Amino acid sequence: MKTFRIIGRNIRDAFKGVFRNFSLSFASISCITITLIVVAVSMVLSENVNNFTLLVEKDVTIVAFIDNDLEEKKIDEIKKEISKMSNVEKYEYKSKQKITKEMMESSEVFDSIMKNWDSSENPIQNTFQVKVKDINKINDTADKIKKLDGITLVKYGEGMIEGLISTFSFIHKICIGAVVALILVTAFLISNTIKITISSRQREIGIMRLIGASNLNIRIPFIIEGLILGILGSIIPIVLTIYGYQKLYDHFGGHLFSDFIKLIKPVPFVYATSVVLLSIGILVGMFGSWRAVKKHLKI
Amino acid sequence: MNVDLIRLTNVKKTYNTGVTAIRDLNLRITKGDFVFIIGATGCGKSTLIKMLYREEKPTAGQILVGGIDVGKLRNGKVYKIRRKIGVVFQDFKLLEKSTVFENVAFALEIFGIPKDEIHAKVVKALDLVGLKDKITSYPDQLSGGQQQRVAIARAIVNGPKLLICDEPTGNLDKETSKEIMAVLNEINKLGTTIIMVTHDIDIVKEMDKRVIELDSGRVLNDFERGTYR
């Protein structure tokens, strides 16, 4: 019971502290809000870039063209060789008939041209379509496939893919760096803002000590106050993330520039981001208070 | 039987600045006493009482307050002695943004005492200092004397064995000072030991209690009850 009463008192005092020193609390809250908005933007950007990279990686296929005169037995041998390669995730044999059919279905122009062609005139080759596990080793895998007997040509969008992926990974890294830097800067800023708040309440802390409050008695309400500031400061960023991202997603119809670059679906992404924002707000608020009040306890 | 509540043995205090405020001080104060500490500015009065509630640490010697070796208390443990002592200051040290009730209840809430018990104790303390009807007022709505009485109520609400008063009437006029002294006398009669630092010789004469006169950090005179004139 006693513990509950003490906890209850601490929470009540913390709320009182927030509202009785509202101008300074407001400064801390604004500081948390602004940084968390920037953190939210960086997170959304970073996660989407990460998502694009995964999608691109999933989409990349090595197409190995097979000599059309090759016998079934030889094709089976190539199949075996490819299945043995460690970086191959899955592979599929596509006959030229199948490819032709697919292409005719997807394009009217192609359809009309091919209709006039005899099957012996079909210039399309039989292929193996190979997906790799590690996109960074795609070059090696493609080379190995190329060396197999009966393979005439290997294509996987070389150059372009590597460029795209390295660009994405660069952007992703920058975003993570920005998020980490922002969190540190916020913790420092909030610590300083709360320090000003607490300095102005040094008298109060002195009186508390005089009356016989232990360091913990004094520190806990301030730390809870930091927690409250963190929660209040993360409200606007969370609302912006949830509604803003949904709006953005709807505005672009779920993908950016082309169907190729898909945006992350808002649910549950925005909620996960909100939880992260709230946690950052709370931790940073509490840490800031703890650091600031520590200074005033050395009498 | 007279029991020592406070015992100072060969106490010395030199500040970091090199100033020695207390030199080789030996003192005993009995439970239930009312003691005035007087002396010229800079004689060490404030340093002496600051050491009693462990705002300052002695450089040498031993200070026992209620059996606790105050000089050996670490910063993190200071609250242990503070909970046994009430302190009243010249400038009241009230929380401006809290009501009279909250100011007094503050000391009890820290310890997790039940609400109704807090209420009863606070009302009792405020009744003792004659401010029961000002319970919802804020400090700035009160006169200086009333504010000091709130500070006294806060200091005694926890039932301390010792009440330290650092020039509690320093900011108050003669009439109000008399009222405060009457309140302190009342508290003393209830069994609380009181140590009061003052410059006001009239009060000292009128109260007719034990008087310790300090000079340059030493006891110059120690007058027993009624002998200081």
Side-chain angles (χ1 to χ4, degrees):
Chain A
M1 262 324 271
K2 193 177 163 188
T3 318
F4 283 119
R5 272 198 300 273
I6 292 177
I7 294 170
R9 181 193 74 88
N10 281 330
I11 294 174
R12 201 193 64 207
D13 279 5
F15 270 102
K16 267 191 206 163
V18 171
F19 293 106
R20 282 186 177 167
N21 303 281
F22 195 73
S23 54
L24 282 165
S25 301
F26 186 72
S28 304
I29 292 170
S30 314
C31 173
I32 298 177
T33 300
I34 292 166
T35 355
L36 283 185
I37 289 174
V38 185
V39 168
V41 170
S42 303
M43 275 179 66
V44 165
L45 194 66
S46 152
E47 282 311 303
N48 269 296
V49 164
N50 200 25
N51 187 47
F52 300 158
T53 314
L54 288 175
L55 287 176
V56 168
E57 285 182 1
K58 229 188 251 171
D59 256 18
V60 171
T61 310
I62 301 175
V63 182
F65 295 88
I66 306 163
D67 192 345
N68 273 348
D69 301 330
L70 217 60
E71 303 159 13
E72 283 283 324
K73 201 179 141 201
K74 199 76 186 146
I75 292 175
D76 280 344
E77 266 175 38
I78 296 176
K79 221 184 248 179
K80 261 186 207 158
E81 285 297 322
I82 291 177
S83 69
K84 269 191 242 164
M85 289 177 190
S86 58
N87 195 30
V88 170
E89 196 188 349
K90 60 178 185 181
Y91 63 92
E92 190 190 355
Y93 173 71
K94 272 193 179 172
S95 66
K96 65 181 193 179
Q97 289 80 7
K98 196 177 174 193
I99 297 168
T100 314
K101 207 178 146 212
E102 276 179 14
M103 287 172 92
M104 284 165 78
E105 277 166 7
S106 68
S107 155
E108 275 178 40
V109 182
F110 200 78
D111 187 41
S112 65
I113 295 171
M114 288 304 287
K115 268 182 186 157
N116 300 325
W117 283 23
D118 189 299
S119 72
S120 61
E121 288 172 316
N122 186 348
I124 291 179
Q125 283 180 291
N126 294 324
T127 61
F128 270 108
Q129 309 218 336
V130 181
K131 298 249 185 215
V132 291
K133 287 178 191 156
D134 182 0
I135 200 87
N136 296 315
K137 290 183 192 156
I138 194 166
N139 206 0
D140 289 347
T141 313
D143 276 350
K144 273 188 205 161
I145 296 175
K146 203 173 187 175
K147 281 178 192 147
L148 295 176
D149 201 18
I151 301 285
T152 56
L153 188 66
V154 171
K155 282 274 163 208
Y156 63 93
E158 52 271 65
M160 197 270 270
I161 293 299
E162 281 112 332
L164 202 59
I165 284 171
S166 76
T167 309
F168 280 174
S169 126
F170 181 65
I171 296 174
H172 188 219
K173 274 177 195 152
I174 284 186
C175 286
I176 289 178
V179 168
V180 171
L182 276 169
I183 291 171
L184 291 178
V185 168
T186 320
F188 182 72
L189 276 176
I190 289 168
S191 178
N192 278 334
T193 315
I194 293 175
K195 222 179 246 177
I196 298 170
T197 318
I198 288 176
S199 285
S200 74
R201 290 162 72 184
Q202 205 165 3
R203 217 181 108 81
E204 193 179 326
I205 294 178
I207 294 171
M208 285 174 88
R209 269 187 75 87
L210 206 63
I211 285 172
S214 66
N215 287 351
L216 211 61
N217 288 147
I218 297 170
R219 197 179 280 179
I220 286 176
F222 281 104
I223 291 175
I224 298 177
E225 207 173 311
L227 181 142
I228 296 170
L229 294 179
I231 293 174
L232 293 178
S234 51
I235 291 175
I236 295 176
I238 286 175
V239 170
L240 277 181
T241 306
I242 292 176
Y243 291 99
Y245 187 71
Q246 181 72 52
K247 270 257 152 44
L248 189 91
Y249 187 85
D250 293 344
H251 180 77
F252 287 110
H255 36 70
L256 218 55
F257 312 125
S258 75
D259 288 353
F260 184 58
I261 303 179
K262 286 194 183 96
L263 292 170
I264 301 175
K265 285 207 174 82
V267 179
F269 173 62
V270 287
Y271 298 117
T273 309
S274 301
V275 170
V276 174
L277 290 177
L278 184 66
S279 314
I280 294 175
I282 287 174
L283 285 178
V284 152
M286 286 170 80
F287 174 74
S289 285
W290 174 78
R291 214 181 81 118
V293 81
K294 203 174 156 197
K295 200 185 130 208
H296 291 287
L297 291 177
K298 291 172 193 154
I299 294 184
Chain B
M1 192 180 79
N2 288 345
V3 184
D4 287 343
L5 182 67
I6 297 170
R7 186 184 293 175
L8 280 80
T9 317
N10 304 325
V11 173
K12 189 183 168 192
K13 172 69 186 177
T14 305
Y15 286 101
N16 289 339
T17 52
V19 177
T20 301
I22 298 287
R23 304 160 207 269
D24 200 30
L25 192 71
N26 290 288
L27 201 62
R28 284 172 157 205
I29 291 173
T30 315
K31 247 180 201 171
D33 253 5
F34 195 130
V35 181
F36 284 107
I37 296 176
I38 61 166
T41 306
C43 69
K45 306 186 295 278
S46 289
T47 304
L48 170 61
I49 60 166
K50 275 183 183 167
M51 287 194 294
L52 294 181
Y53 63 87
R54 182 46 182 78
E55 180 78 21
E56 294 292 346
K57 267 178 162 179
T59 318
Q62 192 189 42
I63 300 177
L64 290 175
V65 177
I68 296 176
D69 191 341
V70 179
K72 289 212 170 112
L73 277 181
R74 281 184 288 118
N75 279 345
K77 300 284 176 202
V78 169
Y79 68 91
K80 288 194 167 173
I81 188 75
R82 301 268 169 96
R83 288 181 186 185
K84 296 187 174 180
I85 299 176
V87 191
V88 175
F89 298 90
Q90 188 173 358
D91 61 351
F92 323 135
K93 292 202 196 297
L94 297 175
L95 298 172
E96 302 300 328
K97 290 172 180 170
S98 302
T99 63
V100 167
F101 181 87
E102 287 168 337
N103 263 290
V104 181
F106 193 47
L108 298 172
E109 284 175 341
I110 290 169
F111 312 129
I113 293 170
K115 230 176 177 174
D116 36 347
E117 200 177 315
I118 291 180
H119 193 267
K121 282 188 170 179
V122 172
V123 170
K124 194 179 156 201
L126 285 172
D127 194 22
L128 188 64
V129 299
L131 278 183
K132 213 172 145 189
D133 54 332
K134 297 285 181 192
I135 223 159
T136 54
S137 304
Y138 284 88
D140 57 3
Q141 297 168 331
L142 303 176
S143 69
Q146 287 171 328
Q147 289 190 47
Q148 190 58 293
R149 282 192 270 162
V150 176
I152 293 171
R154 181 184 65 193
I156 59 162
V157 71
N158 219 1
K161 296 270 171 289
L162 175 65
L163 182 62
I164 296 175
C165 306
D166 191 356
E167 304 200 32
T169 57
N171 279 344
L172 306 173
D173 61 46
K174 230 179 170 78
E175 270 315 298
T176 320
S177 299
K178 266 188 178 172
E179 284 171 31
I180 295 294
M181 290 320 296
V183 169
L184 291 178
N185 207 15
E186 198 60 38
I187 292 165
N188 179 237
K189 277 182 188 161
L190 293 172
T192 308
T193 310
I194 297 183
I195 298 178
M196 176 169 157
V197 167
T198 187
H199 273 119
D200 194 331
I201 295 304
D202 290 342
I203 286 179
V204 176
K205 283 179 179 167
E206 215 160 288
M207 292 291 289
D208 204 15
K209 306 282 186 189
R210 182 180 170 191
V211 179
I212 296 167
E213 188 176 7
L214 295 184
D215 181 50
S216 310
R218 289 190 186 91
V219 175
L220 183 66
N221 287 301
D222 191 344
F223 302 100
E224 278 310 310
R225 180 183 285 260
T227 53
Y228 178 80
R229 284 283 176 247

